[in-house]
Amino acid sequence: MESAELAYYEAVDINKTVKLTYGTRKETTYFGVGALASFGEALETLGINACGFVTYDPVYKDCGAWAIIEPILKERNVDYLMFDKVMTNPTTEIIDECRDMFRERYNHQFCIVAIGGGSPIDTAKSVAVLLEHGEKNAEQLYRKEFEAERRAPLMAVNITAGTGSEVDKFAVASILHSEPPLKPVIGTPVIYPDISFDDPSMLLSTPDRITACTALDAVNHVTEASTTTIATPFSVHLARAVCSIVAHYLPVALKDPTDLRARYWLMYASSIAGMSFNESMLHITHALEHTLSAYVTDFTHGLGLALLQPGVVAHIWSDELSAKTLSYVLKPIIGKFHGKAKEAHKVSKALRKFHESVGIKDTMATAGFAKDGIEKLVDSTFACPGMTDLLALAPVAVTNETLKDIYLTGFFDE
């Protein structure tokens, strides 16, 4: 990071709550250390008298969010229901169970509130839609058998630094009884949260491995968003900022997990990475990772992306514009390259070196996958609703052999 850039990042008052106005229906993401104290203001803005919380136990307490929210609810006499069964990679069955719990209490002054990362926020988005669509269920929603036309009031309290779901129009869920198991995505402006919260103090209890995996999730968001066929200067310049922040502040946070400034900037990087791919979508890496976490239901999303990113970047480096773009976007992480096709292998190795430097030394093998199962993974990727649409946004042609080669690269046999 250049000295002038670092001087700015170090000078910002991280304890000042600001409002980001992109990616929410009410144009408000409260951002900054202490931002969650504005939860009562948000309830008033939306006219809420009851909440349905969507989260997982005990994380919503361990991170400190509940210690802030509960007194605000009591002070304002706001009743609530608590659904705390969300797991990594939530299923359509869990979404339906949450919907059923909230249904009897639901009216338009009842707000769905996610506390967590991508899994609770995506679950909350889905539940908010289903509460407004009669007898429709989550599997029908994710198989795109009906359009999400409206939803219940919705807020997102984000407590990780990778997902971006608090500021985007996407959600994912797993359909595990299917053969193959699927993890499709829905995308519609209907599911933007009304109001979101990014409070870096919620990150202080995050384990080092999750800190690294979520930061690499943000990096993958922008690696893809900056190189889709619909990328814009907006998504590209956000991408460069994300990589600059992660390259500097991820090692700081891993060395001292209590460093609030590092947490602040990693959360900001995650948020603007969400804005970047909300603008320009994603392509190969996320399509492939959704297959991995459909088969291994407790698989960490950011880890899967890290296993795939070196192979994906090497593949798209053959496209001249993508190589030039990523030479700019990824420079803080991989060093100086010139955007030449012959650099692809070295770029891939540089990415892997960065992953290892922040503690991610896993391979496809250590994650539980075998080379003789690659064909099945490839077939499953093409079978998942919506994934061919993502693959079509890649800057280069994508074939079965392409996906096979990328999965194989993740074994890192060299």
Side-chain angles (χ1 to χ4, degrees), residues 27 33 42 81 89-90 166 168 192 244 271 296 302 350 384 401 413:
E27 297 187 341
V33 177
L81 297 174
N89 303 313
E166 80 278 16
D168 73 36
Y192 281 125
S244 183
S271 181
V296 181
C384 185
E401 284 302 311
D413 292 329

Side-chain angles (χ1 to χ4, degrees), residues 69-330:
I69 291 173
E70 187 178 29
I72 293 173
L73 297 174
K74 290 180 178 178
E75 178 186 349
R76 293 172 177 267
N77 294 315
V78 175
D79 293 331
Y80 67 89
L81 297 174
M82 180 65 69
F83 186 86
D84 60 3
K85 299 181 182 180
V86 179
M87 74 290 275
T88 300
N89 303 313
T91 63
T92 51
E93 287 85 358
I94 281 290
I95 293 169
D96 288 340
E97 183 179 346
C98 183
R99 181 271 318 270
D100 291 343
M101 179 182 180
F102 292 167
R103 178 177 275 166
E104 289 187 9
R105 293 285 301 277
Y106 176 61
N107 59 47
H108 288 166
Q109 290 182 297
F110 183 95
C111 185
I112 313 304
V113 184
I115 305 177
S119 295
I121 297 174
D122 289 358
T123 299
K125 289 177 175 180
S126 307
V127 170
V129 168
L130 293 177
L131 285 171
E132 279 285 312
H133 285 79
E135 297 304 313
K136 301 295 187 182
N137 62 42
E139 182 169 345
Q140 291 172 310
L141 175 63
Y142 279 89
R143 288 190 181 275
K144 299 177 174 58
E145 295 177 11
F146 73 97
E147 292 295 325
E149 297 178 347
R150 56 196 178 277
R151 60 152 175 78
L154 175 66
M155 291 197 286
V157 178
N158 176 41
I159 64 170
T160 70
T163 173
S165 193
E166 80 278 16
V167 295
D168 73 36
K169 60 186 176 185
F170 301 104
V172 297
S174 296
I175 306 173
L176 296 184
H177 62 80
S178 173
E179 181 52 48
L182 305 171
K183 188 180 175 184
V185 59
I186 57 172
T188 168
V190 170
I191 60 174
Y192 281 125
D194 288 305
I195 295 172
S196 293
F197 298 87
D198 276 332
D199 187 335
S201 66
M202 300 296 106
L203 302 178
L204 295 181
S205 61
T206 307
D208 287 352
R209 183 170 174 83
I210 299 302
T211 297
C213 285
T214 51
L216 295 181
D217 186 3
V219 169
N220 273 276
H221 286 157
V222 298
T223 302
E224 292 170 78
S226 64
T227 54
T228 65
T229 57
I230 57 172
T232 69
F234 176 73
S235 57
V236 171
H237 282 91
L238 289 179
R240 171 58 185 255
V242 169
C243 292
S244 183
I245 290 168
V246 170
H248 181 81
Y249 283 106
L250 177 56
V252 174
L254 293 175
K255 183 177 181 180
D256 180 7
T258 66
D259 190 313
L260 265 175
R261 186 169 296 277
R263 298 294 191 178
Y264 177 98
W265 286 113
L266 289 175
M267 184 169 264
Y268 178 75
S270 169
S271 181
I272 65 171
M275 296 174 191
S276 179
F277 83 80
N278 196 63
E279 169 89 0
S280 295
M281 300 288 286
L282 302 167
H283 53 69
I284 304 171
T285 325
H286 273 73
L288 295 181
E289 197 290 322
H290 281 206
T291 300
L292 299 183
S293 50
Y295 276 100
V296 181
T297 57
D298 61 349
F299 198 52
T300 300
H301 178 58
L303 172 59
L305 295 172
L307 297 180
L308 299 166
Q309 187 187 24
V312 171
V313 170
H315 180 68
I316 65 175
W317 204 265
S318 61
D319 175 70
E320 183 177 1
L321 177 58
S322 296
K324 295 292 185 185
T325 300
L326 292 179
S327 294
Y328 166 65
V329 166
L330 291 173

